[in-house]
Structure formats: C-alpha cells, structure tokens
Coordinates of all heavy atoms in Angstrom, one line a residue:
M1 N 29.4 188.0 167.5 CA 28.9 188.5 168.8 C 27.7 187.6 169.2 O 26.9 187.2 168.4 CB 28.4 189.9 168.7 CG 27.9 190.4 170.0 SD 27.5 192.2 169.7 CE 26.8 192.6 171.3
S2 N 27.6 187.2 170.4 CA 26.6 186.3 171.0 C 25.7 187.1 171.9 O 26.2 188.0 172.7 CB 27.1 185.1 171.7 OG 27.9 184.3 170.8
T3 N 24.5 186.8 171.9 CA 23.6 187.4 172.8 C 22.9 186.3 173.7 O 22.4 185.3 173.1 CB 22.4 188.2 172.1 OG1 23.0 189.2 171.3 CG2 21.4 188.8 173.1
Y4 N 22.9 186.5 175.0 CA 22.3 185.5 175.9 C 21.1 186.1 176.5 O 21.2 187.3 177.0 CB 23.3 185.0 176.9 CG 24.6 184.3 176.4 CD1 25.7 185.0 176.1 CD2 24.4 183.0 176.1 CE1 26.8 184.3 175.5 CE2 25.5 182.3 175.5 CZ 26.7 183.0 175.3 OH 27.7 182.3 174.7
V5 N 20.1 185.4 176.5 CA 18.9 185.9 177.3 C 18.6 184.9 178.3 O 18.4 183.7 178.1 CB 17.7 186.0 176.3 CG1 16.4 186.4 177.0 CG2 18.0 187.0 175.1
F6 N 18.4 185.4 179.6 CA 18.2 184.4 180.6 C 16.7 184.5 181.0 O 16.2 185.6 181.2 CB 19.0 184.8 181.9 CG 20.5 184.6 181.6 CD1 21.3 185.7 181.2 CD2 21.0 183.3 181.7 CE1 22.6 185.5 181.0 CE2 22.3 183.1 181.4 CZ 23.2 184.2 181.1
A7 N 16.1 183.4 181.1 CA 14.7 183.3 181.5 C 14.6 182.8 182.8 O 15.4 182.0 183.3 CB 14.0 182.4 180.5
P8 N 13.5 183.2 183.6 CA 13.4 182.7 185.0 C 12.9 181.3 185.0 O 12.1 180.8 184.3 CB 12.3 183.7 185.6 CG 11.5 184.2 184.4 CD 12.5 184.2 183.2
W9 N 13.5 180.6 186.0 CA 13.1 179.2 186.3 C 12.9 179.1 187.8 O 13.4 180.0 188.6 CB 14.3 178.2 185.9 CG 14.5 178.2 184.4 CD1 15.2 179.0 183.7 CD2 14.0 177.2 183.5 NE1 15.2 178.7 182.4 CE2 14.5 177.5 182.2 CE3 13.2 176.0 183.7 CZ2 14.2 176.8 181.2 CZ3 12.9 175.3 182.6 CH2 13.4 175.7 181.3
T10 N 12.2 178.1 188.2 CA 12.0 177.9 189.6 C 12.2 176.5 190.0 O 12.0 175.6 189.1 CB 10.6 178.4 190.0 OG1 10.5 178.4 191.5 CG2 9.5 177.6 189.4
I11 N 12.5 176.2 191.2 CA 12.7 174.8 191.7 C 11.8 174.6 192.9 O 11.6 175.5 193.7 CB 14.1 174.4 192.0 CG1 14.3 173.0 192.3 CG2 14.7 175.3 193.1 CD1 15.7 172.5 192.3
G12 N 11.1 173.5 193.0 CA 10.3 173.2 194.1 C 10.0 171.7 194.2 O 10.5 170.9 193.4
P13 N 9.1 171.3 195.1 CA 8.7 169.9 195.2 C 8.2 169.4 193.9 O 7.5 170.0 193.2 CB 7.6 169.9 196.3 CG 7.8 171.2 197.0 CD 8.3 172.2 196.0
D14 N 8.5 168.1 193.6 CA 8.1 167.5 192.3 C 6.7 166.9 192.6 O 6.5 165.9 193.4 CB 9.0 166.4 192.0 CG 8.7 165.8 190.6 OD1 7.6 166.1 190.1 OD2 9.5 164.9 190.1
R15 N 5.7 167.5 192.0 CA 4.3 167.1 192.1 C 3.8 166.4 190.8 O 2.6 166.4 190.6 CB 3.4 168.2 192.5 CG 3.8 168.9 193.9 CD 2.8 169.9 194.3 NE 3.3 170.8 195.3 CZ 3.6 170.4 196.6 NH1 3.5 169.2 197.0 NH2 4.1 171.3 197.5
S16 N 4.8 166.0 190.0 CA 4.4 165.4 188.7 C 3.8 164.0 188.8 O 3.2 163.6 187.9 CB 5.6 165.5 187.7 OG 6.6 164.6 188.2
D17 N 4.0 163.4 190.0 CA 3.5 162.0 190.1 C 3.0 161.9 191.5 O 3.6 162.3 192.5 CB 4.8 161.1 189.9 CG 4.3 159.6 190.0 OD1 3.2 159.4 190.4 OD2 5.2 158.8 189.8
E18 N 1.7 161.5 191.6 CA 1.1 161.4 193.0 C 1.9 160.6 194.0 O 1.8 160.8 195.1 CB -0.3 160.9 192.8 CG -1.3 161.8 192.2 CD -2.7 161.3 192.2 OE1 -3.0 160.4 193.0 OE2 -3.5 161.8 191.4
D19 N 2.6 159.5 193.4 CA 3.3 158.6 194.3 C 4.6 159.2 194.9 O 5.1 158.6 195.7 CB 3.6 157.3 193.6 CG 2.3 156.6 193.2 OD1 1.3 156.8 193.9 OD2 2.4 155.8 192.2
T20 N 5.0 160.3 194.4 CA 6.3 160.8 194.8 C 6.2 162.2 195.5 O 7.2 162.9 195.7 CB 7.3 161.0 193.6 OG1 6.7 161.9 192.7 CG2 7.6 159.7 192.9
T21 N 5.0 162.6 195.9 CA 4.9 163.9 196.6 C 5.4 164.0 198.0 O 5.8 165.0 198.4 CB 3.4 164.4 196.5 OG1 2.6 163.4 197.2 CG2 3.0 164.6 195.1
S22 N 5.4 162.9 198.7 CA 5.8 162.9 200.1 C 7.3 162.5 200.2 O 7.8 161.6 199.5 CB 5.1 161.9 200.9 OG 3.7 162.2 201.0
P23 N 8.1 163.2 200.9 CA 9.5 162.9 201.1 C 9.6 161.4 201.7 O 8.8 161.0 202.4 CB 10.0 163.9 202.1 CG 9.1 165.0 202.0 CD 7.8 164.4 201.7
L24 N 10.6 160.8 201.2 CA 10.9 159.4 201.8 C 11.9 159.6 202.9 O 12.8 160.3 202.9 CB 11.6 158.5 200.7 CG 10.7 158.2 199.5 CD1 11.5 157.4 198.5 CD2 9.5 157.3 199.9
R25 N 11.6 158.8 204.0 CA 12.5 158.8 205.2 C 13.1 157.4 205.3 O 12.5 156.4 205.1 CB 11.6 159.1 206.4 CG 11.0 160.4 206.6 CD 10.2 160.6 207.9 NE 11.1 160.5 209.0 CZ 11.1 159.6 209.9 NH1 10.2 158.7 209.9 NH2 11.9 159.6 210.9
R26 N 14.3 157.5 205.9 CA 15.0 156.2 206.2 C 15.9 156.6 207.5 O 16.3 157.7 207.6 CB 15.9 155.8 205.1 CG 16.6 154.5 205.3 CD 17.5 154.1 204.2 NE 18.7 154.9 204.0 CZ 19.1 155.5 202.9 NH1 18.5 155.3 201.8 NH2 20.1 156.3 202.9
I27 N 16.0 155.6 208.3 CA 16.9 155.8 209.5 C 18.0 154.8 209.4 O 17.8 153.6 209.0 CB 16.1 155.6 210.8 CG1 15.1 156.8 210.9 CG2 17.0 155.6 212.0 CD1 14.2 156.8 212.2
E28 N 19.2 155.3 209.6 CA 20.4 154.4 209.6 C 21.1 154.4 211.0 O 21.1 155.4 211.7 CB 21.4 155.0 208.6 CG 20.9 155.1 207.2 CD 21.8 155.8 206.2 OE1 22.9 156.4 206.7 OE2 21.5 155.8 205.0
C29 N 21.5 153.2 211.4 CA 22.3 153.1 212.6 C 23.7 153.6 212.4 O 24.3 153.2 211.4 CB 22.3 151.6 213.0 SG 23.3 151.4 214.5
T30 N 24.1 154.6 213.2 CA 25.5 155.1 213.1 C 26.6 154.2 213.6 O 27.8 154.5 213.4 CB 25.6 156.5 213.7 OG1 25.2 156.4 215.1 CG2 24.7 157.5 213.0
T31 N 26.2 153.1 214.3 CA 27.2 152.2 214.8 C 27.5 151.1 213.8 O 28.6 150.8 213.6 CB 26.6 151.6 216.1 OG1 26.3 152.6 217.1 CG2 27.7 150.6 216.7
C32 N 26.4 150.5 213.3 CA 26.7 149.3 212.4 C 26.3 149.6 210.9 O 26.6 148.8 210.0 CB 26.0 148.1 212.9 SG 24.2 148.1 212.7
G33 N 25.6 150.7 210.7 CA 25.2 151.0 209.3 C 23.9 150.4 208.8 O 23.5 150.6 207.7
E34 N 23.3 149.5 209.6 CA 22.0 148.9 209.2 C 21.0 150.0 209.0 O 21.0 151.0 209.7 CB 21.6 147.9 210.3 CG 20.5 146.9 209.7 CD 20.3 145.8 210.8 OE1 21.2 145.3 211.5 OE2 19.1 145.5 210.9
K35 N 20.1 149.8 208.0 CA 19.1 150.8 207.6 C 17.7 150.3 207.7 O 17.5 149.1 207.4 CB 19.5 151.2 206.1 CG 20.8 151.7 205.9 CD 21.1 151.9 204.5 CE 22.5 152.3 204.3 NZ 22.9 152.3 202.9
S36 N 16.8 151.2 208.0 CA 15.4 150.9 207.9 C 15.0 150.9 206.4 O 15.7 151.3 205.6 CB 14.5 151.9 208.6 OG 14.5 153.1 207.9
E37 N 13.8 150.4 206.1 CA 13.2 150.5 204.8 C 12.9 152.0 204.6 O 12.6 152.8 205.5 CB 11.9 149.7 204.6 CG 12.2 148.2 204.8 CD 12.9 147.6 203.6 OE1 12.6 148.1 202.5 OE2 13.6 146.7 203.8
N38 N 12.8 152.4 203.3 CA 12.3 153.8 203.0 C 10.8 153.8 203.3 O 10.1 152.8 202.9 CB 12.6 154.1 201.5 CG 14.0 154.5 201.3 OD1 14.7 155.1 202.1 ND2 14.5 154.0 200.1
G39 N 10.3 154.9 203.8 CA 8.9 155.0 204.0 C 8.5 156.4 204.0 O 9.3 157.3 204.2
V40 N 7.2 156.7 203.7 CA 6.6 158.0 203.7 C 6.0 158.4 205.1 O 5.8 159.5 205.4 CB 5.6 158.3 202.6 CG1 6.3 158.2 201.2 CG2 4.5 157.3 202.7
E41 N 5.8 157.3 205.9 CA 5.2 157.5 207.2 C 6.3 157.7 208.2 O 7.4 157.1 208.1 CB 4.4 156.3 207.6 CG 3.2 156.0 206.6 CD 2.2 157.1 206.6 OE1 2.0 157.7 207.7 OE2 1.5 157.3 205.6
Q42 N 6.1 158.4 209.3 CA 7.1 158.6 210.3 C 7.3 157.4 211.2 O 8.4 157.0 211.6 CB 6.6 159.8 211.3 CG 7.5 160.1 212.4 CD 8.6 161.1 212.0 OE1 8.3 161.9 211.1 NE2 9.7 161.1 212.6
V43 N 6.2 156.7 211.4 CA 6.2 155.6 212.4 C 7.1 154.4 212.0 O 7.7 153.8 212.8 CB 4.8 155.2 212.9 CG1 4.1 154.5 211.7 CG2 4.8 154.4 214.1
G44 N 7.0 154.0 210.8 CA 7.7 152.8 210.3 C 9.3 152.9 210.6 O 9.8 152.0 211.3
P45 N 10.0 153.9 210.1 CA 11.4 154.0 210.4 C 11.7 154.2 211.8 O 12.7 153.7 212.3 CB 11.8 155.2 209.5 CG 10.9 155.2 208.4 CD 9.6 154.8 209.0
D46 N 10.9 155.0 212.5 CA 11.0 155.2 214.0 C 11.0 153.8 214.7 O 11.8 153.6 215.6 CB 10.0 156.2 214.5 CG 10.3 157.6 214.1 OD1 11.3 157.9 213.5 OD2 9.4 158.4 214.4
M47 N 10.0 153.1 214.4 CA 9.8 151.8 215.1 C 11.0 150.8 214.8 O 11.5 150.1 215.6 CB 8.5 151.1 214.7 CG 7.2 151.8 215.3 SD 7.3 152.0 217.1 CE 7.3 150.3 217.6
W48 N 11.4 150.9 213.5 CA 12.7 150.1 213.2 C 13.8 150.5 214.1 O 14.5 149.7 214.6 CB 13.1 150.3 211.7 CG 14.3 149.6 211.4 CD1 14.4 148.3 211.0 CD2 15.6 150.2 211.5 NE1 15.8 148.0 210.9 CE2 16.5 149.1 211.2 CE3 16.1 151.4 211.9 CZ2 17.9 149.3 211.2 CZ3 17.5 151.6 211.9 CH2 18.4 150.5 211.6
A49 N 14.1 151.8 214.3 CA 15.2 152.3 215.1 C 15.0 151.9 216.5 O 16.0 151.4 217.1 CB 15.3 153.8 215.0
I50 N 13.8 152.0 217.1 CA 13.7 151.6 218.5 C 13.9 150.1 218.6 O 14.6 149.6 219.5 CB 12.2 152.0 218.9 CG1 12.1 153.5 219.0 CG2 11.9 151.3 220.3 CD1 10.7 154.0 219.2
S51 N 13.4 149.3 217.7 CA 13.5 147.9 217.7 C 15.0 147.5 217.6 O 15.5 146.6 218.3 CB 12.7 147.2 216.6 OG 13.0 145.9 216.5
H52 N 15.7 148.2 216.7 CA 17.1 148.0 216.5 C 17.9 148.3 217.7 O 18.8 147.5 218.2 CB 17.6 148.8 215.3 CG 19.0 148.6 214.9 ND1 19.5 147.5 214.2 CD2 20.2 149.3 215.3 CE1 20.8 147.6 214.0 NE2 21.2 148.6 214.7
A53 N 17.6 149.4 218.4 CA 18.3 149.8 219.6 C 18.1 148.8 220.7 O 19.1 148.5 221.4 CB 17.8 151.2 220.1
V54 N 16.9 148.3 220.9 CA 16.6 147.3 221.9 C 17.3 146.0 221.6 O 17.9 145.4 222.5 CB 15.1 147.0 222.0 CG1 14.8 145.8 222.8 CG2 14.3 148.2 222.5
R55 N 17.4 145.6 220.4 CA 18.0 144.4 220.0 C 19.6 144.4 220.1 O 20.2 143.4 220.4 CB 17.6 144.0 218.5 CG 18.1 142.7 218.0 CD 17.4 142.3 216.7 NE 17.1 143.4 215.8 CZ 18.0 143.8 214.8 NH1 19.1 143.2 214.7 NH2 17.6 144.8 214.0
T56 N 20.2 145.6 219.7 CA 21.6 145.7 219.6 C 22.3 146.5 220.6 O 23.5 146.5 220.7 CB 21.9 146.2 218.2 OG1 21.4 147.6 218.1 CG2 21.4 145.4 217.1
S57 N 21.5 147.4 221.4 CA 22.1 148.4 222.3 C 22.8 149.5 221.5 O 23.5 150.3 222.1 CB 23.1 147.8 223.3 OG 22.4 146.9 224.1
H58 N 22.6 149.6 220.2 CA 23.1 150.7 219.5 C 22.2 151.9 219.7 O 20.9 151.7 219.6 CB 23.2 150.4 217.9 CG 24.1 149.3 217.6 ND1 24.1 148.6 216.4 CD2 25.1 148.7 218.4 CE1 25.1 147.7 216.4 NE2 25.7 147.7 217.6
R59 N 22.7 153.1 220.0 CA 21.9 154.2 220.4 C 21.9 155.4 219.3 O 21.1 156.3 219.5 CB 22.3 154.7 221.7 CG 22.1 153.7 222.8 CD 20.7 153.4 223.1 NE 20.5 152.6 224.3 CZ 20.1 151.3 224.2 NH1 19.8 150.8 223.0 NH2 19.9 150.6 225.3
G60 N 22.8 155.4 218.4 CA 23.0 156.5 217.6 C 22.3 156.2 216.2 O 22.6 155.2 215.6
F61 N 21.6 157.2 215.7 CA 20.9 157.0 214.4 C 20.9 158.3 213.5 O 21.1 159.4 214.1 CB 19.4 156.6 214.6 CG 19.3 155.2 215.2 CD1 19.2 155.1 216.7 CD2 19.3 154.1 214.5 CE1 19.2 153.9 217.2 CE2 19.2 152.9 215.1 CZ 19.1 152.7 216.5
R62 N 20.9 158.1 212.3 CA 20.9 159.2 211.3 C 19.6 159.1 210.5 O 19.3 158.0 210.0 CB 22.1 159.1 210.3 CG 22.1 160.1 209.2 CD 23.2 159.8 208.3 NE 24.5 159.7 208.9 CZ 25.3 158.6 209.0 NH1 24.8 157.5 208.3 NH2 26.4 158.5 209.6
E63 N 18.8 160.1 210.4 CA 17.6 160.2 209.6 C 18.0 160.7 208.2 O 18.7 161.8 208.1 CB 16.6 161.1 210.2 CG 15.3 161.1 209.4 CD 14.2 162.0 210.0 OE1 14.6 163.1 210.4 OE2 13.1 161.6 210.1
V64 N 17.6 160.0 207.2 CA 17.9 160.5 205.8 C 16.6 160.7 205.1 O 15.7 159.8 205.0 CB 18.7 159.4 205.0 CG1 18.9 159.9 203.5 CG2 20.0 159.1 205.7
V65 N 16.3 162.0 204.7 CA 15.1 162.3 204.1 C 15.4 162.7 202.6 O 16.3 163.5 202.3 CB 14.4 163.5 204.8 CG1 13.1 163.9 204.0 CG2 14.1 163.2 206.3
T66 N 14.7 162.1 201.7 CA 14.8 162.4 200.3 C 13.6 163.0 199.7 O 12.5 162.4 199.8 CB 15.1 161.0 199.5 OG1 16.3 160.4 200.1 CG2 15.3 161.3 198.0
A67 N 13.7 164.2 199.3 CA 12.6 164.9 198.7 C 12.9 165.1 197.2 O 13.9 165.6 196.9 CB 12.3 166.2 199.4
L68 N 12.0 164.7 196.4 CA 12.2 164.9 194.9 C 11.9 166.4 194.6 O 10.8 166.9 195.0 CB 11.3 164.0 194.1 CG 11.6 162.5 194.4 CD1 10.6 161.6 193.6 CD2 13.0 162.2 194.0
L69 N 12.7 167.0 193.8 CA 12.5 168.4 193.3 C 12.3 168.4 191.8 O 12.8 167.5 191.1 CB 13.7 169.2 193.8 CG 14.0 169.2 195.3 CD1 15.2 170.0 195.5 CD2 12.8 169.8 196.0
R70 N 11.8 169.5 191.4 CA 11.5 169.6 189.9 C 11.8 171.1 189.5 O 11.3 172.0 190.2 CB 10.1 169.3 189.5 CG 9.8 169.2 188.1 CD 8.5 168.5 187.8 NE 8.2 168.2 186.5 CZ 8.7 167.2 185.8 NH1 9.3 166.3 186.4 NH2 8.5 167.0 184.5
V71 N 12.5 171.3 188.4 CA 12.8 172.6 187.9 C 11.8 172.8 186.7 O 11.6 172.0 185.9 CB 14.2 172.7 187.4 CG1 14.4 174.0 186.7 CG2 15.2 172.6 188.5
V72 N 11.1 174.0 186.8 CA 10.1 174.3 185.9 C 10.3 175.8 185.5 O 10.7 176.6 186.2 CB 8.7 174.1 186.3 CG1 8.4 172.6 186.6 CG2 8.3 174.9 187.6
P73 N 9.8 176.1 184.2 CA 9.8 177.6 183.8 C 8.9 178.3 184.7 O 7.8 178.0 184.9 CB 9.3 177.5 182.4 CG 9.5 176.0 181.9 CD 9.3 175.2 183.2
A74 N 9.5 179.5 185.2 CA 8.7 180.4 186.0 C 7.9 181.3 185.1 O 8.1 181.4 183.9 CB 9.6 181.2 186.9
P75 N 6.9 182.0 185.7 CA 6.2 183.0 185.0 C 7.2 184.0 184.3 O 8.1 184.4 185.0 CB 5.3 183.7 185.9 CG 5.0 182.6 187.0 CD 6.3 181.9 187.1
G76 N 7.0 184.4 183.1 CA 7.9 185.3 182.4 C 8.8 184.5 181.5 O 9.5 185.0 180.6
N77 N 9.0 183.2 181.7 CA 9.8 182.3 180.8 C 8.9 181.9 179.7 O 7.7 181.5 179.9 CB 10.2 181.1 181.6 CG 11.1 180.1 180.9 OD1 10.8 179.8 179.7 ND2 12.2 179.8 181.5
P78 N 9.4 181.9 178.5 CA 8.5 181.6 177.3 C 8.0 180.1 177.3 O 7.0 179.8 176.7 CB 9.4 181.8 176.0 CG 10.7 182.0 176.6 CD 10.7 182.4 178.0
Y79 N 8.6 179.3 178.1 CA 8.2 177.8 178.2 C 7.2 177.7 179.4 O 6.8 176.6 179.7 CB 9.4 177.0 178.4 CG 10.2 176.9 177.2 CD1 11.5 177.5 177.1 CD2 9.7 176.2 176.0 CE1 12.2 177.4 176.0 CE2 10.5 176.2 174.9 CZ 11.7 176.7 174.8 OH 12.5 176.7 173.7
H80 N 6.9 178.8 180.2 CA 6.0 178.6 181.3 C 4.7 178.0 180.8 O 4.1 178.5 179.9 CB 5.8 180.0 181.9 CG 4.8 179.9 183.1 ND1 5.2 179.3 184.3 CD2 3.5 180.4 183.3 CE1 4.1 179.4 185.2 NE2 3.1 180.0 184.5
G81 N 4.2 177.0 181.5 CA 3.0 176.3 181.2 C 3.1 175.2 180.1 O 2.2 174.6 179.7
K82 N 4.3 175.1 179.6 CA 4.6 174.1 178.6 C 5.6 173.0 179.2 O 6.4 172.5 178.4 CB 5.2 174.7 177.3 CG 4.3 175.8 176.7 CD 5.0 176.5 175.6 CE 4.1 177.6 175.0 NZ 4.8 178.4 174.1
E83 N 5.5 172.7 180.4 CA 6.5 171.8 181.1 C 6.5 170.5 180.5 O 7.5 169.8 180.5 CB 6.2 171.7 182.6 CG 6.6 172.9 183.3 CD 5.5 174.0 183.3 OE1 4.4 173.8 182.8 OE2 5.7 175.1 183.8
D84 N 5.4 170.0 179.9 CA 5.4 168.6 179.3 C 5.8 168.6 177.9 O 5.8 167.5 177.3 CB 4.0 168.1 179.5 CG 3.6 167.9 181.0 OD1 4.5 167.7 181.8 OD2 2.4 168.1 181.3
S85 N 6.2 169.7 177.3 CA 6.6 169.7 175.9 C 7.9 168.9 175.7 O 8.8 169.0 176.5 CB 6.8 171.2 175.5 OG 7.3 171.2 174.1
D86 N 7.9 168.1 174.7 CA 9.0 167.2 174.4 C 10.3 168.0 174.0 O 11.4 167.6 174.3 CB 8.7 166.3 173.2 CG 7.7 165.2 173.7 OD1 7.6 165.0 174.9 OD2 7.0 164.6 172.8
D87 N 10.1 169.2 173.4 CA 11.3 170.0 173.0 C 11.7 171.0 174.0 O 12.6 171.8 173.7 CB 11.0 170.6 171.6 CG 9.9 171.6 171.7 OD1 9.2 171.7 172.7 OD2 9.7 172.4 170.7
L88 N 11.2 170.9 175.2 CA 11.5 172.0 176.2 C 13.0 171.9 176.5 O 13.6 173.0 176.7 CB 10.7 171.7 177.5 CG 11.0 172.6 178.6 CD1 10.7 174.1 178.3 CD2 10.2 172.2 179.9
W89 N 13.6 170.8 176.6 CA 15.0 170.7 177.0 C 16.0 170.7 175.9 O 17.2 170.6 176.1 CB 15.2 169.5 177.9 CG 14.3 169.6 179.1 CD1 13.2 168.8 179.3 CD2 14.4 170.4 180.2 NE1 12.6 169.2 180.4 CE2 13.3 170.2 181.1 CE3 15.3 171.4 180.6 CZ2 13.1 170.9 182.2 CZ3 15.1 172.1 181.8 CH2 14.0 171.8 182.6
E90 N 15.5 170.8 174.6 CA 16.5 170.8 173.5 C 17.0 172.2 173.4 O 16.3 173.2 173.5 CB 15.8 170.4 172.2 CG 15.3 168.9 172.2 CD 14.6 168.5 171.0 OE1 14.6 169.3 170.0 OE2 14.0 167.4 171.0
V91 N 18.3 172.2 173.1 CA 19.0 173.5 173.0 C 19.5 173.7 171.5 O 19.9 172.8 170.9 CB 20.2 173.6 173.9 CG1 21.0 174.9 173.7 CG2 19.8 173.5 175.4
Ligands
ZN101 ZN1 23.2 149.1 214.7

C-alpha cells in the first residue's frame, strides 16, 4: 500500500535573478516573419515595428512577451523557505 502526501506549491514571477525580473518583449512582422530584438523596454520593439512598416509597407505585427516563472514550495510545504536547497528536487 502506498501513501501519497501532497504539499502545496505555488507559481509566480521568477525573481531569483535581478536581470530576469522584467518580461522580455519582441515584435514579429506577420507578413514576412522578421523580428525585433528582445527587450525589456516598450519603446525599442515598438520603434522597430514602426520603422519596419515604413520601410516595407507591412502593417501586421505580433507581440511576443516572455515572462520567466518559478515554482516554489508554498507555506505549509515542508520545503517552504528552503528553495535553494540542493536536495529539494530529489525524489
Ligand atoms: Zn515584414
């Protein structure tokens, strides 16, 4: 007979690294597939899209936003507060 105990976990923005806290934005042209650079600022990808539209007459774009997430033990989980433990993920 096996017994399973479920502990609470939570998922949210990954704040483990200061450089990755802001979502990355990129804009893609839906006509030709050309892409802006990834950026954390709004203006860079937007300016790329406007410049691309002026240069090519392409008018359709897709915004791609990548936000890093992190799963951590929630309060009530025996690993809560021990997220940096090396043996946390060993089963
Ligand atoms: Zn294009």
Side-chain angles (χ1 to χ4, degrees):
M1 179 176 177
S2 298
T3 302
Y4 297 95
V5 177
F6 295 97
W9 294 81
T10 186
I11 187 168
D14 186 351
R15 302 189 195 291
S16 63
D17 183 351
E18 286 184 22
D19 295 335
T20 60
T21 56
S22 297
L24 293 174
R25 294 182 66 244
R26 181 180 73 226
I27 294 180
E28 301 173 352
C29 176
T30 57
T31 302
C32 71
E34 197 171 323
K35 302 171 186 171
S36 73
E37 296 289 325
N38 285 321
V40 295
E41 303 291 332
Q42 182 87 27
V43 70
D46 287 355
M47 289 304 295
W48 174 88
I50 292 168
S51 174
H52 184 81
V54 169
R55 182 168 40 89
T56 63
S57 297
H58 298 163
R59 297 290 186 254
F61 294 90
R62 173 186 309 115
E63 180 182 46
V64 178
V65 178
T66 302
L68 298 178
L69 302 175
R70 189 168 188 85
V71 172
V72 296
N77 184 311
Y79 291 110
H80 179 69
K82 301 175 183 173
E83 288 83 9
D84 295 329
S85 175
D86 289 339
D87 62 350
L88 179 62
W89 302 105
E90 292 181 8
V91 178

